[in-house]
Amino acid sequence: MKKASTPFLSDGNGIIIDSNEVTNYKGKTLVANNLSYNNGGAGIHEVDSSYVDFINNTTSNNGLVPSENYPEIFAVRGSHINYYNNIAYPNGAATPNKAFSMNSTTNVAYDYNVLNGVVDGAAAPTPNHNLYVNPLFKNRAGYDFRLDSNSPARDSGTSSFAQATDNQLNARPQGTGYDRGAFEFVTSAQLSRTGWTASAFATRNTLVPAYAIDGSTTSYWSSGTNMAIGQTFTLDLGQSQLVGRVSFGSDTSGVNFPSGVDIFVSNNITEIGYPMKSLKNNTNPTIDLSFVTRTGRYVTFKINTAKTAWWTINEINLYTQ
Ligand SMILES: [Ca+2]
């Protein structure tokens, strides 16, 4: 952004807690489980504020305004501030490449963070559990800031200030401990079909929705009508579970599969939110889609492209990721 005092590009922070001391706010502030990336200013910025906890945030690729060289996490004045379990990974364009910068603050505690860049103005805590290494995101260039299976942030966070859920409202901790960063690592596993029920907008004679979840790829559900936008097929998993990958095939016709389908994971069968994945221009009878793992009881498949063919599903497989 531009402002009167600096009539050029400046600032533009992803998250800023600004001047709560000035406004006399006396309560606590929690900033947790956020992903902040590709901002001109800092990923997370605190100015003239007190009693703020920054927990389990991931900040990366920020400080993009060349003249400003903002760090990923920037603490300026203020007091009684905690930084725990965060990941800060500068974009590489700034000089120096600052992960964490602090000036004129008092009573600031920071530990158990992954700080993959310069730290200035902040004495290292004693003992020091910060890691000064690459956090190993799943795909940083592709903006997938979940943790790679080899990430040093896995299970290495502190349970102090621990959050019960992560950025996707998945339960923490998974594995042997709390992770650092916004996304708790989810181990890949296939979900059991026990307790599942299926329903569909329409059914062809005896080719019922249950055939899509009976464990056999030869039996299938069929709509018996051409595919039109908005048609749905819904799985009720019986209870909330982690879902991050969906695969399903069709009958043997070679045509009775969606050209386009949206996948939703939700805990409310009617308020299904935004799609976790939106497939279009599909020509493959076998569909396999991965997305950020979400906790939900209902998996909804919704046609997003009309097609002159029946909709069939021979067998649905779900995975945690
Ligand atoms: Ca089947």
Side-chain angles (χ1 to χ4, degrees), residues 190-197 212-216 315-318:
Q190 183 166 5
L191 275 60
S192 161
R193 289 178 173 77
T194 303
W196 291 8
T197 53
I213 54 170
D214 65 353
S216 164
E315 197 61 24
I316 298 171
N317 296 291
L318 300 182

Side-chain angles (χ1 to χ4, degrees), residues 11 14 37 47 49 65 84 105 120 151 170 175 208 223 238 262 279 301 309:
D11 234 318
Y37 68 100
V47 188
S49 295
V65 174
Y84 285 93
T105 54
D120 75 355
S151 170
N170 300 326
V208 295
S223 69
D262 295 337
L279 176 70
F301 306 71

Side-chain angles (χ1 to χ4, degrees), residues 71-110:
E72 289 295 328
I73 300 175
F74 196 15
V76 179
R77 299 180 296 276
S79 66
H80 298 93
I81 301 163
N82 295 305
Y83 294 91
Y84 285 93
N85 289 356
N86 301 289
I87 295 177
Y89 190 168
N91 68 68
T95 307
N97 224 332
K98 291 182 184 176
F100 184 46
S101 181
M102 190 162 84
N103 66 61
S104 305
T105 54
T106 55
N107 290 309
V108 171
Y110 76 103

Side-chain angles (χ1 to χ4, degrees), residues 259-302:
S259 294
V261 63
D262 295 337
I263 307 294
F264 302 77
V265 178
S266 66
N267 271 311
N268 185 313
I269 199 165
T270 51
E271 299 290 333
I272 60 176
Y274 292 95
M276 300 303 295
K277 195 80 175 189
S278 189
L279 176 70
K280 292 191 172 172
N281 304 315
N282 173 55
T283 57
N284 193 339
T286 300
I287 294 171
D288 194 333
L289 301 170
S290 293
F291 41 86
V292 177
T293 301
R294 170 72 60 86
T295 298
R297 173 173 169 174
Y298 303 100
V299 182
T300 303
F301 306 71
K302 184 183 273 192

Side-chain angles (χ1 to χ4, degrees), residues 32 41 44 54-55 183 205 238 256 266:
I44 295 173
F54 294 96
I55 314 296
F183 300 95
N205 296 336
N256 292 336
S266 66

Side-chain angles (χ1 to χ4, degrees), residues 211-220 314-315:
Y211 285 145
I213 54 170
D214 65 353
S216 164
T217 54
T218 54
S219 59
Y220 58 89
N314 72 340
E315 197 61 24

